[in-house]
Amino acid sequence: MSGDESRAVGAWRALVRPVVRTLPWRAIGVAGGLGLLFAAAPRLLGEDATGRLALNALRMSALAFALGAAFLLDDPARHTTAAVPTRRVVRHTLRLAPVVPVAALGWTVALLLVPAGVRPPVGGVTLEAAAALALALAGAAFAVRRSDSTRPGQAVAGALFTTAVPASLLWPERWALFVAPDDERWAAAHDRWTVLLCAALAVWAVCGAEPVRRRIGGGLGSRS
């Protein structure tokens, strides 16, 4: 390993520990616990559980996980770290990286909590969960880029929740997203979920770029 590579690895290691300490683990943990409770509902009902109930339980579980992710970029030290030479996209990535395996594990447990007999197609419902999570992350990144708030998570989570619930009831039928596995629109709906996922990831990436005035001014007096 060259000297430059060693310094780069050392810099990443130096950043990881303080970033992990400042992550909103309490909000993420509470949301994850709520998501697992939703997922466990069909098992608690035993023989009364239906496929439709299981699907809705997992969708509520996915929403709970996404609400936790909305707090990912909450950082009381945001305006302090904005002056460091590390780019925002790197700081965002460092905050996301430790949460990804936790989210993956939590979602796996949620799927396993649902009895196999009523469990909806894993691939489709996981795509929905990934899109919801990406939308929450995109909202958080957008809020960070467009405001000076150090804790945008509450507003982002509130917007996500108040949008998701009416959308599940009022979304136009011709662009249906929330359909059952036995509905002939299931495949088309998940093509739309894929578009939403890609769009949310694009917003996350774009909002991770430094503002123009920061690139020009070297970070002095700019948003983080």
Side-chain angles (χ1 to χ4, degrees), residues 11-12 15 81-92 94 210 214:
W12 276 79
L15 287 168
T81 58
V84 303
T86 306
R87 290 183 175 274
R88 179 196 285 171
V89 65
V90 176
R91 299 197 303 273
H92 284 190
L94 285 171
E210 302 291 345
R214 178 172 179 185

Side-chain angles (χ1 to χ4, degrees), residues 127-209:
L127 174 60
E128 294 181 22
L133 188 68
L135 286 169
L137 293 173
F142 182 80
V144 166
R145 185 175 178 85
R146 302 299 299 176
S147 76
D148 292 321
S149 174
T150 59
R151 298 180 184 273
Q154 186 173 352
V156 174
L160 180 64
F161 181 78
T162 56
T163 301
V165 175
S168 65
L169 301 173
L170 304 175
W171 194 265
E173 288 294 322
R174 61 183 299 184
W175 299 313
L177 289 173
F178 304 96
V179 298
D182 57 356
D183 192 309
E184 62 182 8
R185 300 170 297 170
W186 177 261
H190 286 83
D191 289 340
R192 299 183 188 102
W193 280 110
T194 301
V195 172
L196 280 177
L197 172 60
C198 293
L201 291 176
V203 171
W204 165 270
V206 169
C207 291

Side-chain angles (χ1 to χ4, degrees), residues 13-97:
R13 287 177 176 172
L15 287 168
V16 167
R17 185 172 297 176
V19 166
V20 170
R21 284 203 304 267
T22 61
L23 286 173
W25 290 114
R26 180 177 297 178
I28 293 172
V30 169
L34 182 60
L36 294 179
L37 285 175
F38 282 128
R43 185 173 294 275
L44 295 175
L45 290 175
E47 295 181 357
D48 293 331
T50 63
R52 186 70 179 180
L53 173 66
L55 177 61
N56 288 334
L58 282 174
R59 282 175 172 163
M60 290 300 296
S61 178
L63 177 59
F65 287 146
L67 292 176
F71 292 86
L72 181 70
L73 300 183
D74 282 15
D75 182 7
R78 171 186 168 191
H79 299 302
T80 301
T81 58
V84 303
T86 306
R87 290 183 175 274
R88 179 196 285 171
V89 65
V90 176
R91 299 197 303 273
H92 284 190
T93 301
L94 285 171
R95 296 184 75 81
L96 177 61

